[in-house]
Every structure is written in C-alpha cells, then in structure tokens.
Amino acid sequence: MKAQVIQAFGNPSVFQIQEIPAPEVIPGHVLIEVKATSVNPIDTKVRSGFVKGVAPDFPAVLHGDVAGIVRAVGEGVTKFQVGDEVYGCAGGFKGMAGGALAEYMLADADLLAYKPKNLTMEEAAALPLVAITAWEAMFTRGNLTSGQNILIHAAAGGVGHVAIQLAKWAGATVYTTASSKEKLEIGRRLGADVTINYLEESVQEYLQKYTNGKGFEIVFDTVGGENLDRSFEAAAPLGTVLAIAARSTHDLTLLHSKGLTLHVIFMLLKMLEKEMRKEYGQILEKVTNIVEEGKLRPLLDSNIFTFDEISKAHEHLESGKAIGKVVLVNKW
Amino acid sequence: MKAQVIQAFGNPSVFQIQEIPAPEVIPGHVLIEVKATSVNPIDTKVRSGFVKGVAPDFPAVLHGDVAGIVRAVGEGVTKFQVGDEVYGCAGGFKGMAGGALAEYMLADADLLAYKPKNLTMEEAAALPLVAITAWEAMFTRGNLTSGQNILIHAAAGGVGHVAIQLAKWAGATVYTTASSKEKLEIGRRLGADVTINYLEESVQEYLQKYTNGKGFEIVFDTVGGENLDRSFEAAAPLGTVLAIAARSTHDLTLLHSKGLTLHVIFMLLKMLEKEMRKEYGQILEKVTNIVEEGKLRPLLDSNIFTFDEISKAHEHLESGKAIGKVVLVNKW
C-alpha cells in the first residue's frame, strides 16, 4: 500500500511517499481503509522530533486522527463489522500499530466509534483528538456542570471550537477569546454567549465587565505559553484552569493566593495505555451522539489537502494561519 | 482584657501587650475565653507584612487557632452553650472579629467544633488550621481513597504530621520524607508505611525502590519552593500534586508530559467567606471524632510558650527548628 513515511525527524519536507506492506489484522484490532485524516499540533511535534518520547520507531507512519471503512476485523472484536464507517484517534505514536497517513491503518477497536452519519469522512477525521481532549479536560477532569461559567481561549482553534460547543451542550455559560472579528464571529456562531477580543481588552477589563472582577469558575487554556498566565489571572478564587500546553515556566503565585486547581491534559497518555483506551472509544461514542443531535460540528480550514500534499498541510498548521482543523483526504 | 497587639508589620518584637476592650458577643458568634493558641506560618507572614491582603486592620490581634471555653453565646447560635469547650481556626485575619492572642476571642460559631475530650487545651489549639488544611487538600480536593498511595513531604511538619495520620485513617499507603532520623522516627510512629530521608535518596532512587519508577498517585507537598519540583517529579502519570505553598516560579513541563493535576490549597480563602465557613466547622467535627477514636494526635514542639512569650514563639517557628506545632498557653 501507499503511505507517507518519515525515516528521520525534520521539517515538513521529511515525508516520503513509499510502498509498504499493508498491515494484517491482529486480535482486538480492525483494519481501516483510510478515507481522511487531520493534522494536530502533536503530529507536527512528533515529525519535528520535539516530542521524541511519544514518537513511533522509523520508518514511521504518522497521524492519529482517522475516518474510514472497516475492511477486516480481528479476533475478539464484537463492536464492528466489515463495511462499518468508523473514526478515532488510533495510531501514529509510540508502540501503536500504525498511523493514518496510509491507504490502510491497523487500529485498536477500543479507540474507535461509529462515524456520525451526518458528517463526511473529512469532517469526521477532524474531530477525534480535539473532541476527546475537550471532553477529558472539561468533563473528566474539570467537572464542568450546567450553570457554571467557563472562559475558553481560542474560539477558532482546533480544541477551542469544539470546547465551545461541548460546553454549551453541557449547559454552561461560555465566554471565548480570539484576536480577530472573523474568529470571534465563528465563536458566536458556535454558540458562545460572549466573545472577547483579547487584543482590545485586558484580562482585568473583561473580568470587571463580565464577572464583577470575580473571575471565571473554569478557564480552558488551549493556547499555552504566556496565555497560561492570563488564564491564572482570569480564574475565580477556588476556580479551575484546564491546560493542554504547559511545557513552560510560570509564576504560580496566583494559583496560591486564589487556591486554584490546574489540570494539565495530555491526551496521548491514555491512548498509549492499552488498559485506558476504552475510555476514549466511549467518549467518542458520546461525541457521535452529540454530533447526530446537531449540537456539535467540526470547523474545517478552507484548505483541504490530499495525502500527496502532507508537507503543505503541516506547513499550513505550523504557520498559525489555519482556522479550525487542517484536514487531508485520501485520493490514492 | 489583655491582648498581644500589633500596630504595624514587622519582626517578632512588634507585639505589644495592651489592655483593650473585651469584645461583645454578636449574632452567629460566641465569646471564647482563650486557653491556648498555636503559631502557623501564615500568622508569621501576616505579622511581617508578607501577606498584607489577608491581614486585619491595626491595631490587630493575630492568630487563628484557638482552644477555650464558651463564655457568651450570640443570637442564632444553637450549636454551643456557655461552658462548652471548643476549638477552631476563627480569627486574626482580614475582616474577622479578632484573633486568639487575647483573653477573650469573638468567633463565628460556624468555624468551631467541640474540643476533643481526650486532648488538653494546648493540644487542641495545635490542630485546627493544619487539620482543616490536610483534610481539604487530601479529601475535598485530592479525593484520596483507601488503597491509594500518597507521598507526604515533611513528616514532622505542622501539616505533614497530621496528613500522615489522616491518610492512614482513610486507608491509604503512606510514604513520607524528612531530613533526619528523629523526624523519620516521628513519621513512623504516626503510622507512615515507609519513611524516606530525602537527603540520602534522590526522587528517582526512591521512585524506583518503592513504585517501580512509576511514581505516587498523590503527592502532598507541605514544603513549597524547590520541593515542589521534586513533587512534580515524584507524581505518577495522571497523578495529583497537592500544594500549600506555591508562591514561586516553576517549569511545568512534567505537569504536561505526565498530565498532572495541581491543587493549591490556601486554607484562609473559605475562612474569610461567611458562606463557606460552615464547611470548616464540619471538617473539625469529623476531626474531633477521629481524635476521640485515637486515630489522630497533634505533635507539639517541646517548647510550650506563654502569651507573654509570643515573640519567642514566632522566632522559634521562623527558625525552622520547631518539630510539630508551636503552642502558646494563656497564663494571664
């Protein structure tokens, strides 16, 4: 089968199209005919060598997110049959069967769910990693409940745009930030109650305006870096900050004086542990239901790439100019 | 009545014995004849001006922890009667009725519980702030449950020695660190399953020895500063770090790569909020039961001070040489 393979870490040009053996199905797994995948920041960090600890061995087929059709079912799998349309985040990392940048992908059935019927393959491939991340952050870890207020940074980001919709689905009051009119309009269309241009208003200004200076019960930081300091500032006393990017150094004084909780969510950890994977498949089943109820839709960047164009797709994500998810469709 | 008063922030010599009006009882409060108090690090930080945000107005009577006898009961208080022996952490901070360094203390009844019958007044006065802090950290925030493993830093510290006993009471397996044979022996006597001299073993060494390198499910950092980095290192993937001192700057990379939760507990926050105080009185009621069951005893430093010796008591705590709690008994 055809695959985009890397033989070493490097810049986006490191991908090479190669003919490699199609994987054989093994117990607990299914073989998926890959229809689409999407790029997540972690895929670019694996490719560049920034996160070697979670990278697969060379030659490596990258990418976790997949949508496709089941073509073979391994021993012990009862959930899926040949011909089922499925999606999940299910490979491309250390110790896993293989990535999605190929004609076929071998995937642990525990990590998969039925593709939502009202989504195309490209749309479905955009969701798994970001939806699981947002779910784990807000519900598994953050215990977000109806009536709470939550500030979600990066309205048009991969995780941010899904978090807005899931938080509204859960009955929260959603505030969201972005840097442009266009992105704030996206946040509004996705259901955010209040949109904030963080270039025009300081944290103190919007805390005063929307919370009487008290702060938000939950702050979801999907950005990291200096933004994490702004998240600490925006949280109410005894509040919670959810972070998905925290490889940086921070003054924790505000965590102390406000008695905050910081949950750092690194989605890969449970994916890499066989015993924990089921949790992600179960989250995706719920996500499928929410999508089919019309409460959640992925936002796709206007550039859709083919598997031949993987280098461009990575470059586009790394440029910071993408809006929503960068998706690739398999035309092989 | 006699009181130790401060008129300005400063070193331990800033206290002055003064004759001030005894407080009158007000609704929801009781008037306590103070028998004993104890020094907590936060009291020394209020005195020095390090935490002005939670300091009472001048002239100020400091100290939260109190044990004594109810001498008057305010309107609406049904829980206590004149003559009851009570304890609590109930004053000496911003907006509160008054501190414990006086013959009488006016205290919100919501913050009090009956003194354990098997403790002296000095012993009872040692417990409230540290027991509430340990409870809030391990149970309210950290959800410590039977069978989990927990690493508690500072076996002979104010919070540490109480945490060891409460964690054992809850059925956890308790590992504890200290810097001397004497302190480790205290940890052992208080029930710790394993004691670790952190000057003799590195975090990696004791992780390997006791957890196969995996780390502890919960790490309770009662120390702060650089020790917080060691706590991040000692936590297992998806584990929890509880911290009570986090006014410092830290690299959060390990929080990211292990997907950790960091709860910072600042005990004063709920004490200063009228609506939240009841929670602390309820925790103390449970603590009273546990003490009376013989499962929890405070560790008192061998130096017991009188109220006249408040400066020496603060100096002793600040010297870092105290073992367990520094207690003051009222001989006025």
Side-chain angles (χ1 to χ4, degrees):
Chain A
M1 67 173 183
K2 263 179 145 176
Q4 284 283 11
V5 173
I6 68 168
Q7 302 271 8
F9 300 120
N11 67 31
S13 70
V14 79
F15 288 103
Q16 298 174 330
I17 298 176
Q18 291 191 355
E19 196 65 36
I20 61 171
E24 305 228 338
V25 76
I26 57 174
H29 288 61
V30 299
L31 191 66
I32 301 170
E33 182 188 337
V34 179
K35 293 296 186 184
T37 181
S38 67
V39 196
N40 290 295
I42 187 72
D43 300 316
T44 67
K45 294 189 180 95
V46 168
R47 187 214 71 228
S48 71
F50 183 72
V51 289
K52 294 194 175 81
V54 296
D57 294 336
F58 299 124
V61 179
L62 306 189
H63 277 217
D65 277 342
V66 66
I69 300 168
V70 174
R71 292 301 181 202
V73 175
E75 202 186 310
V77 175
T78 54
K79 202 164 127 190
F80 302 108
Q81 295 187 303
V82 170
D84 283 345
E85 298 191 338
V86 297
Y87 73 143
C89 184
F93 301 101
K94 188 179 177 172
M96 301 192 80
L101 282 171
E103 288 181 86
Y104 293 91
M105 178 182 186
L106 181 62
D108 190 325
D110 282 348
L111 285 167
L112 303 175
Y114 291 118
K115 178 183 85 65
K117 290 188 181 65
N118 54 340
L119 294 190
T120 64
M121 287 287 182
E122 295 92 291
E123 288 171 327
L127 273 182
L129 186 144
V130 294
I132 292 167
T133 300
W135 187 285
E136 191 175 13
M138 296 193 298
F139 304 136
T140 312
R141 304 280 293 276
N143 291 319
L144 178 68
T145 51
S146 180
Q148 283 193 303
N149 67 28
I150 182 170
L151 175 69
I152 298 170
H153 288 297
V159 174
H161 86 278
V162 171
I164 290 170
Q165 297 173 80
L166 287 175
K168 284 311 298 176
W169 168 81
T173 303
V174 176
Y175 301 76
T176 191
T177 67
S179 59
S180 72
K181 257 193 172 175
E182 184 192 2
K183 290 178 179 174
L184 291 173
E185 179 53 31
I186 288 169
R188 202 171 295 123
R189 281 205 313 268
L190 295 174
D193 299 275
V194 175
T195 60
I196 297 160
N197 188 325
Y198 68 83
L199 298 178
E200 292 172 2
E201 286 187 281
S202 72
V203 176
Q204 287 311 317
E205 281 166 351
Y206 65 71
L207 282 200
Q208 209 53 51
K209 195 159 156 188
Y210 299 117
T211 72
N212 275 322
K214 191 168 180 276
F216 298 93
E217 290 166 278
I218 301 190
V219 179
F220 192 172
D221 191 308
T222 68
V223 178
E226 287 176 9
N227 199 63
L228 199 48
D229 299 315
R230 290 193 278 272
S231 293
F232 297 161
E233 196 181 346
L238 300 169
T240 295
V241 175
L242 312 169
I244 59 171
R247 289 189 184 87
S248 43
T249 295
H250 299 270
D251 179 354
L252 303 185
T253 298
L254 286 175
L255 267 70
H256 184 122
S257 61
K258 295 198 279 190
L260 301 182
T261 291
L262 171 63
H263 293 291
V264 184
I265 294 87
F266 185 31
M267 184 271 183
L268 253 54
L269 291 172
K270 291 183 183 172
M271 189 175 144
L272 297 180
E273 293 284 338
K274 174 64 192 151
E275 315 81 60
M276 294 188 181
R277 285 180 186 165
K278 215 163 227 150
E279 197 179 319
Y280 282 178
Q282 288 162 350
I283 290 173
L284 267 191
E285 285 172 20
K286 290 175 200 150
V287 168
T288 294
N289 290 337
I290 297 168
V291 171
E292 291 183 348
E293 285 165 17
K295 301 287 173 61
L296 173 62
R297 282 200 85 81
L299 173 71
L300 270 52
D301 185 81
S302 56
N303 298 283
I304 307 277
F305 298 89
T306 67
F307 280 25
D308 285 335
E309 300 168 317
I310 182 64
S311 305
K312 280 188 194 167
H314 274 226
E315 276 166 14
H316 187 52
L317 186 80
E318 291 181 294
S319 75
K321 288 178 187 151
I323 291 188
K325 288 295 306 274
V326 173
V327 168
L328 297 105
V329 56
N330 180 9
K331 300 270 190 190
W332 287 337
Chain B
M1 66 172 184
K2 263 178 145 176
Q4 285 283 11
V5 173
I6 68 167
Q7 302 272 9
F9 299 122
N11 67 31
S13 69
V14 78
F15 288 103
Q16 299 174 330
I17 298 176
Q18 291 191 357
E19 196 65 35
I20 61 170
E24 306 228 337
V25 75
I26 57 173
H29 288 60
V30 300
L31 192 67
I32 301 171
E33 182 188 338
V34 179
K35 293 295 185 184
T37 181
S38 67
V39 196
N40 290 295
I42 187 73
D43 299 316
T44 67
K45 293 191 180 93
V46 168
R47 187 214 72 225
S48 71
F50 183 72
V51 289
K52 295 195 176 80
V54 295
D57 293 335
F58 299 125
V61 178
L62 305 190
H63 277 217
D65 277 344
V66 66
I69 301 168
V70 173
R71 292 301 179 201
V73 175
E75 203 186 310
V77 176
T78 54
K79 201 164 131 191
F80 302 108
Q81 294 187 304
V82 170
D84 283 345
E85 298 190 339
V86 296
Y87 74 144
C89 184
F93 301 101
K94 189 179 175 169
M96 300 192 79
L101 283 171
E103 288 182 86
Y104 293 92
M105 178 182 186
L106 183 63
D108 191 324
D110 282 348
L111 285 167
L112 304 175
Y114 292 116
K115 177 183 86 62
K117 290 190 180 62
N118 55 340
L119 293 190
T120 64
M121 287 287 181
E122 294 92 291
E123 289 171 326
L127 273 181
L129 185 144
V130 293
I132 292 167
T133 300
W135 187 285
E136 190 174 15
M138 297 193 297
F139 304 135
T140 312
R141 305 280 293 276
N143 291 319
L144 177 68
T145 51
S146 181
Q148 283 194 305
N149 68 28
I150 181 169
L151 175 70
I152 298 171
H153 289 297
V159 173
H161 86 278
V162 171
I164 290 171
Q165 298 173 79
L166 287 176
K168 285 311 299 175
W169 168 81
T173 303
V174 176
Y175 301 76
T176 191
T177 67
S179 58
S180 73
K181 258 193 172 175
E182 184 193 2
K183 289 177 180 175
L184 292 173
E185 179 53 31
I186 288 169
R188 204 173 292 122
R189 281 206 312 269
L190 296 175
D193 298 277
V194 175
T195 60
I196 298 160
N197 188 325
Y198 68 84
L199 297 177
E200 293 172 1
E201 286 188 280
S202 72
V203 175
Q204 287 309 318
E205 281 167 350
Y206 66 73
L207 282 200
Q208 209 53 52
K209 195 160 157 189
Y210 300 117
T211 72
N212 275 322
K214 193 169 179 277
F216 299 92
E217 289 166 280
I218 302 190
V219 179
F220 192 172
D221 191 310
T222 67
V223 178
E226 286 176 10
N227 198 63
L228 199 49
D229 299 316
R230 290 194 278 272
S231 293
F232 297 160
E233 197 182 346
L238 301 170
T240 295
V241 175
L242 311 169
I244 59 171
R247 289 189 183 88
S248 43
T249 295
H250 298 270
D251 179 353
L252 304 185
T253 298
L254 286 175
L255 266 69
H256 184 122
S257 62
K258 296 198 279 189
L260 302 183
T261 291
L262 171 64
H263 293 290
V264 184
I265 295 87
F266 186 30
M267 182 272 183
L268 253 54
L269 290 171
K270 290 183 183 171
M271 188 176 143
L272 298 181
E273 292 284 339
K274 175 66 192 152
E275 316 81 59
M276 294 187 179
R277 285 180 187 166
K278 213 162 227 150
E279 198 179 320
Y280 282 178
Q282 287 162 350
I283 290 173
L284 268 191
E285 284 172 20
K286 290 175 200 151
V287 168
T288 294
N289 290 336
I290 296 167
V291 171
E292 292 183 347
E293 285 165 15
K295 301 287 173 62
L296 174 62
R297 281 201 85 81
L299 172 71
L300 269 52
D301 185 81
S302 56
N303 298 283
I304 306 277
F305 298 89
T306 67
F307 280 26
D308 285 336
E309 300 168 316
I310 182 65
S311 304
K312 282 187 194 168
H314 274 225
E315 277 166 16
H316 187 54
L317 186 81
E318 290 180 296
S319 75
K321 290 178 188 151
I323 291 189
K325 289 295 305 275
V326 174
V327 168
L328 298 105
V329 56
N330 180 8
K331 300 269 191 193
W332 287 336

